[in-house]
Amino acid sequence: MQPCRLADTRPDGGNGYSRVDPQTISISTLNRCGIPTGSTALAVTLTVVDPAAEGFLTAWPGDHRLPTVSNLNFQADQTRANGTITKIDDLGRLRVYTSVPAFVVVDVVGAFVPQGATVAAGRFVPSTSSRLFDSRPNNIVAAGGSVTVPLPAGVPAGAIALALNITVTESTQPGFVTAFPAGTPMPTASALNLDWFDQTRAAGGIFGVSAQGITLFLSGGGHVVVDYSGYFTGPSASPSSDGLFSVVDPVRLMDTRQTSPLGVGVPIYPQGGVELPLSQRGSMAYNVTSVDGDAGFIRGYAAGTPQPDTSTLNPQGQGDIVANFAITQTSDHGLDFWSQPQTNLVVDLQGWFSGPSVTATIAAPTNRAPATPRATYSKCTHEGLDRINTERRRARVAALVVNPAAQATACAWALHLAQLAGGISHSVAAPRDAEVGCPTGENVAFSTAPPSIAVPQLMDLWMASPPHHANIVFRGYVGIGLGYVTRTDATGATRTYGSTTFAVC
C-alpha cells in the first residue's frame, strides 16, 4: 500500500479518530486508505509529538483490554516514531494509548488479509540481515534531499515491499524521513523523526517498493543507513504456504529487568548478549526496547549464527528508552541479541511469518560483567531560570522564556560534555542555530561539587564571569534552554556539566 495517514490528533491534523479518554484514541479503518475488507492486522508507523513528560505508547485491537506491552517510548517534548504490525478487531478498529498527554500520528503502510493454504502475493521471504545502503562518510543527504535505494540483489522486480531498518545518523537539523516506492508521488506520511542535529535514530518497518526500489526523503538532512531482512512477494510470485502472517495479541517475551535467560535483573553488559529460546519456527515480528542503555547499537539475529554487520536499535544514553520494530528469521535455537553498550532489553511479540528457521551452528553470545563498572549519567535537569531572570530585572531587560528547541540543545551538549569526562568546550554555533531556528549564544561550565549544590555553583561561576554574565543580561535574547547532566564514575565521584543556550527567538 502507498503510505496513508489514518489519524493525526494535532490541532490541524484533521479527523480519522474518536477520543476514548484524554490519553486514548480509537481509529476505525473500514473503507479507508485502501485497506481491504476483512483485514486482521495492519503495518503502521506510530508517531508521538510533543509529549508532556517521559512515557510510552501502546497500540492494540479495539475490542481488547490494554496489554502490558509498548510500541514506542519517548521523553518530554520529543517527536518519536516506530513501525509495528498491530492486530485490529473484527470491526476494523484499533486503539492507541499514550501514558502521558501527547499528540499522536498514525500512518498505515500495509494490511494483512486471511488467505487460503497457498498464495502468491504478500508473502514474506526472509534473508540474512545485510546492509543495503550507507551514505557515510562522504555522501550526506542535504536537508530537503532524497536518495533512491535499488532493490537488493536477488529480489524480483515484482516485489511489493521490503522489511528494512532505516537509520539517520549525524542529522544536520530536526526533521523527518518519508519512505515511498521509487518513481511514485511522495505521500503525506513519515517513517522516522529527529529532534535535533547530530542525532542517531532508527525505525524498522515494512516499506513499499517499486521495480526501481525505494526513495527516502529527508526534510532535515543527515547520513542514511538502510539494513534489509527480507521482502514481500508480488502477484507474479509462485504460490506457497511460506511467509504467511499470523497475528497474535501482543505479549512480552523477555525483560532483562525481571527474570530472563541472563538471570534476575541482569543487564546485557558491554559487548555481551542474550539468547531468547523460541519453539515457533519461521520469522518473528517484534518490538525490541533498550532501557537505561548507554549510547551505541544493538543487533538481533538468528540464534547460533554469525553476527550480521547491521543494527536493530540505537540507544542514546542518559537513561533514554528507545524502541524499534524488527522482523527476523529465527533459528532452531531462537533469537540472539548482542549489544555494544550496557543495556536492559525488552522484547514484545507482534506475530509470526510461517516458514523454515535456520540451523544454529555456533554458541550463543557471552555476557560477562566488566571489570570496571560503567559511569552513569543523570537525566537532564533545567534549574536556574528564576535566578537568571532576577539578574535580568536588575539589568532592566525583559525576562527570558523557555525555548523547547534551545532546551533540547542545552541538554544534548551537557550530556556530550559529561560523556567526554574531560574539560569543557562550546558546541558549534551554526548547527546550534539551525537546531534552535535562530541565532544563539551559549554558556558552559562544570562543577565537582555534590550534585545538590552543583547547579547553584555553576550559576555563581557564570554570574561572576564578565563574558558569561553578558550573555545572561543581553537584551537581544528572548528564549533560553538550560541543561545539567551529572556524571557518576565507578568510584562514586561526580561531576555536573551545565549548558545554557540563549536564543533571539
Side-chain angles (χ1 to χ4, degrees):
M1 293 175 55
Q2 183 81 341
C4 178
R5 184 140 294 173
L6 279 175
D8 186 342
T9 67
R10 291 174 292 186
D12 58 350
N15 298 313
Y17 67 95
S18 59
R19 180 67 66 178
V20 178
D21 59 46
Q23 292 164 224
T24 307
I25 62 171
S26 177
I27 303 171
S28 175
T29 67
L30 291 179
N31 303 313
R32 298 182 59 200
C33 291
I35 297 170
T37 301
S39 296
T40 57
L42 301 178
V44 296
T45 297
L46 305 165
T47 304
V48 164
V49 182
D50 292 335
E54 176 184 321
F56 65 89
L57 176 151
T58 300
W60 78 102
D63 62 349
H64 287 41
R65 291 184 177 181
L66 176 67
T68 308
V69 297
S70 61
N71 300 100
L72 180 62
N73 300 79
F74 47 81
Q75 302 284 349
D77 301 320
Q78 289 184 331
T79 300
R80 301 291 292 251
N82 191 22
T84 193
I85 299 176
T86 182
K87 186 177 181 181
I88 56 177
D89 67 18
D90 291 341
L91 298 179
R93 299 171 302 181
L94 72 149
R95 289 189 174 188
V96 180
Y97 166 81
T98 56
S99 61
V100 299
F103 296 119
V104 174
V105 181
V106 181
D107 297 326
V108 62
V109 297
F112 294 89
V113 181
Q115 299 289 334
T118 62
V119 296
R123 296 183 296 103
F124 179 66
V125 180
S127 173
T128 300
S129 182
S130 61
R131 184 137 292 173
L132 186 59
F133 178 81
D134 190 340
S135 67
R136 297 170 297 182
N138 298 319
N139 297 306
I140 195 165
V141 180
S146 62
V147 60
T148 294
V149 181
L151 294 178
V155 173
I160 58 174
L162 301 178
L164 302 174
N165 188 48
I166 299 171
T167 303
V168 171
T169 188
E170 301 176 42
S171 57
T172 56
Q173 62 185 50
F176 61 88
V177 177
T178 299
F180 55 102
T184 67
M186 186 173 77
T188 302
S190 62
L192 177 61
N193 297 81
L194 300 110
D195 292 315
W196 58 75
F197 68 93
D198 200 27
Q199 193 173 54
T200 298
R201 280 197 182 161
I206 299 171
F207 300 95
V209 295
S210 66
Q212 290 76 45
I214 184 171
T215 296
L216 306 176
F217 168 82
L218 277 69
S219 71
H223 279 298
V224 181
V225 180
V226 181
D227 294 333
Y228 161 73
S229 62
Y231 73 91
F232 290 82
T233 58
S236 61
S238 299
S240 174
S241 60
D242 286 346
L244 303 183
F245 185 65
S246 297
V247 66
V248 301
D249 292 327
V251 61
R252 183 146 292 173
L253 296 182
M254 183 178 73
D255 186 342
T256 63
R257 298 170 298 178
Q258 310 298 325
T259 300
S260 79
L262 296 177
V264 180
V266 178
I268 303 178
Y269 294 115
Q271 313 290 314
V274 60
E275 186 161 284
L276 175 61
L278 298 165
S279 58
Q280 180 80 28
R281 297 295 179 257
S283 299
M284 189 171 90
Y286 59 99
N287 198 66
V288 57
T289 304
S290 166
V291 181
D292 193 26
D294 291 335
F297 67 89
I298 299 163
R299 55 174 61 120
Y301 56 100
T305 65
Q307 288 191 37
D309 186 22
T310 58
S311 63
T312 307
L313 189 62
N314 298 84
Q316 299 299 296
Q318 202 193 7
D320 199 13
I321 301 175
V322 182
N324 203 15
F325 174 76
I327 302 174
T328 307
Q329 186 178 26
T330 66
S331 78
D332 52 355
H333 287 188
L335 289 179
D336 282 344
F337 294 93
W338 180 91
S339 181
Q340 181 192 46
Q342 180 166 319
T343 187
N344 279 297
L345 206 67
V346 179
V347 179
D348 294 330
L349 176 66
Q350 307 292 334
W352 286 93
F353 291 93
S354 61
S357 294
V358 299
T359 301
T361 57
I362 60 177
T366 58
N367 190 53
R368 297 187 179 92
T372 303
R374 64 173 180 164
T376 59
Y377 306 93
S378 71
K379 292 185 181 298
C380 187
T381 60
H382 315 290
E383 307 97 292
L385 180 58
D386 287 346
R387 185 170 176 188
I388 284 175
N389 279 335
T390 297
E391 187 67 14
R392 288 177 68 87
R393 282 193 294 271
R394 288 181 56 197
R396 299 182 183 277
V397 294
L400 300 176
V401 297
V402 172
N403 178 313
Q407 195 102 296
T409 302
C411 281
W413 193 248
L415 175 61
H416 172 77
L417 294 174
Q419 291 172 333
L420 291 179
I424 56 172
S425 60
H426 283 282
S427 60
V428 179
R432 185 178 68 234
D433 293 351
E435 156 63 15
V436 177
C438 63
T440 61
E442 183 179 67
N443 285 351
V444 294
F446 72 87
S447 170
T448 57
S452 60
I453 62 172
V455 172
Q457 186 180 87
L458 293 176
M459 279 288 170
D460 290 342
L461 291 171
W462 287 329
M463 293 291 181
S465 165
H468 295 90
H469 184 265
N471 271 339
I472 290 171
V473 299
F474 178 56
R475 68 178 59 251
Y477 293 137
V478 297
I480 189 173
L482 302 102
Y484 307 95
V485 174
T486 298
R487 174 191 173 103
T488 303
D489 291 321
T491 62
T494 62
R495 182 178 288 194
T496 299
Y497 292 83
S499 174
T500 303
T501 301
F502 301 92
V504 302
C505 58

